[in-house]
């Protein structure tokens, strides 16, 4: 049976590297690239087909930060495919990132220096905004849109005859201290990225606990990778300039995977595993040794079942509110026409 794989954020960075890797491994694969920019998506599809001309690569228009688009994309996917084996949730944003230079230099001379380079903890903040539906943009894109997509595709994911796996691209920047159940959208502070990624860790655990038979969920961390996301933190020429320093740092922290191919290691590793053999409490890290060898290692996540179930309940409540808003908007448009 051909495996069906859906990848969000497939047109660049880690998502794209994963797609290329998957196709090189399994030519029989049915791969669906879910992207918000169809021109970029088509260019990527053509590029992937150059090395695998007979591969089955389709496109799906999905803006994961727009809930109308999520519902439409899920509907379109269900019409096209009657099976889904792997759902890779790789789309993500970190808008207006700011490096706290004072904290960075302080961290350089502290005993936590390796941890600082591995997680970026305490030195990175972002400026978030509210999108038209009334949600915080980072929360909507990195967490809620994906949650809604999983809910919409639940019937395809929960099948009796085979297991399927949802894979969240989280981060080692996901900190419990940045997340609050009373402020799941992170309206009140300046680490929405960390909060949304911690939320995805919790949600993955909740899916394993709550969802029906056949559906499994896992979380990965790609390490620090040079992509459009990191070029938003510091310009690409600066990263290129300090590349030798980063290769040096890699000797002390194997989390500097640096290339999208290396960063996608854990995503690809999960594709090779049986979903039922995975640990729901583990985050699977892509790691690269000082000599440049890639491997995947599980690390216990800093979360608990009660908190993850509480987040799941809050997300279900928010889902109701959002669906009602979407229906009202549809009704308004219909009556206006
Ligand atoms: N780079 C790193 O060091 C790390 C990255 N990550 C995570 O890895 C994932 C991939 O990021 P990375 O490859 O680094 O960065 P990129 O910016 O290269 O990739 C992000 C992808 O997400 C897509 N995307 C963003 N917003 C939306 C949206 N609203 N709807 C649909 N697609 C969207 C982008 O599409 P478009 O091209 O249209 O913008 C792009 O394809 C993210 O979740 C990120 O948080 C985690 C840890 C470290
Ligand atoms: C000489 C140095 C390499 C200068 C760079 C300092 C910082 C800008 C980086 C040090 C650790 C980095 C890091 C991230 C961003 C850039 C740094 C803070 C992330 C937070 C990027 C996104 C993620 O999801 C994390 C896994 C990264 C962790 C490390």
């Amino acid at each position: 049976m051909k495996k069906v794989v859906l990848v969000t954020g497939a047109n660049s960075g880690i998502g794209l590297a994963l797609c290329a890797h998957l196709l090189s491994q399994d030519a029989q694969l049915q791969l669906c690239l879910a992207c918000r920019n169809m021109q970029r998506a088509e260019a990527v599809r053509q590029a992937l087909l150059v090395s695998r001309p007979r591969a089955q690569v389709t496109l799906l228009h999905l803006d994961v930060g727009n809930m109308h688009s999520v519902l439409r994309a899920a509907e379109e996917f269900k019409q096209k495919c009657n099976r889904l084996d792997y759902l890779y949730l790789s789309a993500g944003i970190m808008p207006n990132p700011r490096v706290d230079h004072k904290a960075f230099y302080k961290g350089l001379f502290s005993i936590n220096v390796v941890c600082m380079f591995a997680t970026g903890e305490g030195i990175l903040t972002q400026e978030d905004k509210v999108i038209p539906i009334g949600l915080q943009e980072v929360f909507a894109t990195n967490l809620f849109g994906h949650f809604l997509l999983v809910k919409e595709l639940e019937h395809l994911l929960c099948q009796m005859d085979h297991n399927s796996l949802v894979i969240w691209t989280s981060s080692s920047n996901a900190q419990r201290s940045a997340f609050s159940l009373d402020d799941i959208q992170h309206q009140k502070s300046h680490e929405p990225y960390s909060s949304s990624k911690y939320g995805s860790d919790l949600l993955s655990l909740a899916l394993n606990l709550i969802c029906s038979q056949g559906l499994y969920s896992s979380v990965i961390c790609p390490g620090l990778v040079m992509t459009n996301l990191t070029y938003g933190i510091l310009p690409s020429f600066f990263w290129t300039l300090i590349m030798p320093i980063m290769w040096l740092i890699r000797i002390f922290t194997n989390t500097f995977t640096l290339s999208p191919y290396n960063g996608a290691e854990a995503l690809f590793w999960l594709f090779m595993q049986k979903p039922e053999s995975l640990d729901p409490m583990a985050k699977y890290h892509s790691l690269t040794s000082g000599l440049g060898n890639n491997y995947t290692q599980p690390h216990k996540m800093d979360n608990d079942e009660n908190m993850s179930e509480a987040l799941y309940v809050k997300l279900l409540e928010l889902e109701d509110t959002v669906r009602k808003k979407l229906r009202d908007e549809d009704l308004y448009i219909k009556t206006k026409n």
Side-chain angles (χ1 to χ4, degrees):
M1 187 58 101
K2 276 186 184 177
K3 285 190 179 148
V4 180
V5 181
L6 175 61
V7 184
T8 74
N11 66 284
S12 77
I14 299 160
L16 173 57
L18 167 74
C19 292
H21 204 151
L22 287 175
L23 286 177
S24 69
Q25 177 66 28
D26 184 350
Q28 298 296 308
L29 204 74
Q30 207 178 313
L31 182 62
C32 180
L33 317 178
C35 309
R36 60 177 163 179
N37 182 317
M38 294 313 270
Q39 255 174 331
R40 266 182 251 163
E42 182 53 33
V44 159
R45 193 178 89 91
Q46 292 303 334
L48 289 171
L49 289 175
V50 169
S51 50
R52 300 272 147 190
R54 289 202 290 177
Q56 225 183 314
V57 184
T58 56
L59 302 182
L60 184 69
H61 182 249
L62 168 69
D63 179 346
V64 79
N66 176 332
M67 302 311 137
H68 266 301
S69 167
V70 173
L71 298 185
R72 269 196 302 266
E75 211 41 58
E76 190 185 328
F77 185 80
K78 283 188 277 191
Q79 273 167 20
K80 278 200 244 170
C81 298
N82 53 9
R83 183 188 169 101
L84 179 54
D85 296 274
Y86 294 90
L87 173 57
Y88 283 98
L89 305 171
S90 188
I93 53 166
M94 184 196 273
N96 315 308
R98 300 245 180 295
V99 178
D100 180 342
H101 289 99
K102 233 170 120 184
F104 176 68
Y105 292 119
K106 224 174 129 190
L108 265 187
F109 300 101
S110 82
I111 49 163
N112 290 329
V113 58
V114 175
C115 174
M116 178 185 84
F117 277 117
T119 66
E121 187 181 353
I123 51 173
L124 209 59
T125 57
Q126 303 87 35
E127 237 16 271
D128 205 355
K129 66 171 188 207
V130 179
I131 54 172
I133 194 140
L135 300 174
Q136 294 293 125
E137 188 185 26
V138 175
F139 167 81
T141 309
N142 294 1
L143 184 62
F144 190 73
H146 282 142
F147 166 73
L148 198 59
L149 184 65
V150 172
K151 296 288 295 170
E152 286 293 300
L153 298 177
E154 208 170 347
H155 288 305
L156 284 187
L157 291 163
C158 298
Q159 298 277 321
M160 300 294 268
D161 58 341
H162 70 277
N163 291 331
S164 46
L165 186 61
V166 175
I167 300 147
W168 301 82
T169 301
S170 179
S171 164
S172 54
N173 189 247
Q175 305 291 330
R176 185 191 272 255
S177 57
F179 181 84
S180 162
L181 275 174
D182 297 325
D183 181 20
I184 59 169
Q185 297 200 41
H186 204 82
Q187 286 158 321
K188 297 184 193 142
S189 198
H190 297 284
E191 292 176 280
Y193 180 81
S194 176
S195 169
S196 69
K197 294 296 178 184
Y198 189 77
S200 70
D201 296 356
L202 288 173
L203 181 52
S204 175
L205 179 58
L207 289 176
N208 283 309
L209 294 171
I210 293 161
C211 279
S212 1
Q213 198 196 328
L215 173 84
Y216 292 84
S217 180
S218 274
V219 182
I220 74 108
C221 171
L224 177 65
V225 185
M226 294 304 112
T227 63
N228 292 338
L229 186 138
T230 30
Y231 298 150
I233 302 171
L234 296 169
S236 62
F237 78 86
F238 181 82
W239 287 114
T240 312
L241 217 64
I242 62 167
M243 201 44 89
I245 303 176
M246 295 205 287
W247 284 326
L248 265 179
I249 297 175
R250 202 190 246 179
I251 298 170
F252 305 99
T253 168
N254 42 15
T255 61
F256 274 32
T257 45
L258 302 180
S259 77
Y261 179 87
N262 295 348
E265 165 71 23
L267 291 169
F268 183 68
W269 183 85
L270 285 175
F271 180 74
M272 308 301 282
Q273 310 304 310
K274 286 198 165 75
E276 60 276 20
S277 69
L278 300 166
D279 178 358
M281 285 296 282
K283 184 181 285 186
Y284 292 88
H285 288 248
S286 299
L287 299 169
T288 305
S289 72
L291 293 175
N293 297 318
N294 293 327
Y295 56 104
T296 299
Q297 217 171 51
H299 291 256
K300 269 261 169 299
M301 285 195 285
D302 173 26
N303 59 19
D304 62 72
E305 296 185 355
N306 292 339
M307 204 170 172
S308 72
E309 283 175 1
L311 173 65
Y312 191 76
V313 171
K314 288 205 173 230
L315 290 173
L316 288 179
E317 285 164 9
L318 189 59
E319 183 193 349
D320 279 347
T321 316
V322 166
R323 282 188 193 274
K324 188 172 178 308
K325 270 192 193 168
L326 294 177
R327 276 197 300 272
D328 290 349
E329 268 175 33
D330 280 349
L331 212 68
Y332 176 73
I333 292 167
K334 269 189 199 141
T335 47
K336 232 177 88 179
N337 294 334

